Amino acid sequence: MDTKSLPVFSADCPSRTIVDVLANKWVLYVLGLLRAADRPLRFGELKRSVEGVTQKSLTKTLRTLERDGFVDRRVHATVPPRVEYRLTDLGRDAGQLLTALNDWAKHNAPKVVSSRETFDAGQPREAPAWTHRG
Amino acid sequence: MDTKSLPVFSADCPSRTIVDVLANKWVLYVLGLLRAADRPLRFGELKRSVEGVTQKSLTKTLRTLERDGFVDRRVHATVPPRVEYRLTDLGRDAGQLLTALNDWAKHNAPKVVSSRETFDAGQPREAPAWTHRG
DNA sequence: CAGAATCCTACGAGATACTG
DNA sequence: CAGTATCTCGTAGGATTCTG
């Protein structure tokens, strides 16, 4: 590979593109909900289900997922408004990736967690709360 | 924050944990380099290879990867200092995930990219450069 | 060489208020 | 109901400087 000039952030780096999608704070959860529900969900339903999310963050998450082609947003011209979100084919296909990710994660995330604990226990190089400095 | 019912951010959500690791700006690249090199790499080597990364960012990335158990950091008490980074078993095992990720990404990232273009073309809700406002 | 420490800035995200 | 519009604040990350 040409490690000279790097397409780390360009659209030429597929992994980067996908990881950036998944990296959004609420994406995994929204995708998971839509997968589990297996039916269109309204904004309010999502909002209530994803506890802790603000409408702003949820809106942004959904807009991004729509833009990226993972969800389809359908507005019904009724009053009061009714907006439904459903997975696209791509969004449904992402299930494969999420499954692979989840499998690997379930197997290895615990190792990561315990590695962190070990590291943190052995390297109090950044003074923890109980040491006073300055 | 009130995560009463939802383990979205807790260590109990393996996918979240792993995605958060991969989400770091330079992680994919560092991991890819160490995989490709198949030998320990020095800090300077990594720095030179990952064009555009700053010392601070690279250091932080490597520290995180070390903490999470993906890389092993070895300091040689020589002068000048020599610090080598190599993949751990977990880091090497991550290759499986990265392969799965990359396969899926190569297949689908283009769809994401083109979806973005379509979306952006159709929704100039935020006035583009060529419309003057104010 | 491999960083640590510092300064600085852009952006993400929460809280709040308003609307078709 | 499903957003949009502001405001603010915390933090990630770049640039720069210093050191064992």
Side-chain angles (χ1 to χ4, degrees):
Chain A
M1 76 175 79
D2 40 335
T3 50
K4 292 282 176 133
S5 46
L6 305 166
V8 187
F9 296 121
S10 79
D12 293 49
C13 182
S15 296
R16 178 80 270 148
T17 302
I18 299 305
V19 167
D20 282 346
V21 173
L22 301 181
N24 180 291
K25 206 171 179 181
W26 304 102
V27 160
L28 288 184
Y29 203 69
V30 168
L31 249 33
L33 271 180
L34 286 173
R35 278 230 296 159
D38 199 31
R39 64 172 176 90
L41 293 179
R42 300 185 59 177
F43 185 87
E45 289 182 296
L46 287 165
K47 170 108 175 55
R48 277 189 298 281
S49 297
V50 185
E51 204 161 323
V53 75
T54 62
Q55 82 283 49
K56 179 185 171 182
S57 295
L58 182 55
T59 297
K60 192 200 162 198
T61 300
L62 289 168
R63 280 289 187 290
T64 303
L65 285 175
E66 182 195 5
R67 184 173 106 104
D68 289 352
F70 286 84
V71 309
D72 178 32
R73 175 170 177 268
R74 247 167 246 195
V75 183
H76 300 264
T78 59
V79 45
R82 177 187 191 84
V83 181
E84 290 180 336
Y85 294 89
R86 72 194 65 206
L87 290 180
T88 61
D89 288 343
L90 180 62
R92 231 167 283 109
D93 191 71
Q96 286 186 27
L97 177 62
L98 294 183
T99 298
L101 179 68
N102 208 45
D103 287 349
W104 195 92
K106 277 201 283 200
H107 228 249
N108 296 285
K111 299 179 189 173
V112 172
V113 173
S114 88
S115 176
R116 281 179 192 170
E117 286 167 3
T118 304
F119 185 91
D120 291 347
Q123 319 263 348
R125 63 180 65 212
E126 298 208 19
W130 44 268
T131 65
H132 65 296
R133 40 164 201 181
Chain B
M1 178 194 314
D2 192 3
T3 52
K4 252 190 284 193
S5 49
L6 303 171
V8 188
F9 296 121
S10 79
D12 294 49
C13 181
S15 296
R16 179 80 266 149
T17 302
I18 298 304
V19 167
D20 281 346
V21 172
L22 301 180
N24 180 289
K25 208 171 178 183
W26 305 103
V27 160
L28 288 185
Y29 204 69
V30 167
L31 248 34
L33 271 180
L34 287 172
R35 279 230 295 159
D38 199 32
R39 65 174 176 87
L41 294 179
R42 300 185 57 176
F43 184 86
E45 290 182 295
L46 288 166
K47 169 107 175 54
R48 275 188 301 280
S49 298
V50 185
E51 204 162 322
V53 75
T54 61
Q55 271 134 1
K56 180 183 171 183
S57 295
L58 182 56
T59 298
K60 191 199 164 198
T61 300
L62 289 167
R63 280 291 187 289
T64 303
L65 285 175
E66 183 195 4
R67 184 172 106 106
D68 289 352
F70 287 84
V71 309
D72 178 31
R73 176 171 177 268
R74 249 167 245 193
V75 183
H76 300 264
T78 60
V79 46
R82 178 186 192 85
V83 181
E84 289 180 336
Y85 295 88
R86 72 195 65 207
L87 290 179
T88 61
D89 289 342
L90 179 62
R92 231 168 282 110
D93 190 72
Q96 287 187 27
L97 177 61
L98 295 183
T99 298
L101 179 67
N102 208 44
D103 287 349
W104 196 91
K106 278 201 282 201
H107 228 253
N108 296 284
K111 300 179 189 174
V112 173
V113 172
S114 87
S115 175
R116 282 178 192 171
E117 287 167 3
T118 304
F119 185 92
D120 291 346
Q123 320 262 348
R125 63 182 64 217
E126 297 208 20
W130 44 266
T131 65
H132 65 295
R133 32 165 205 181

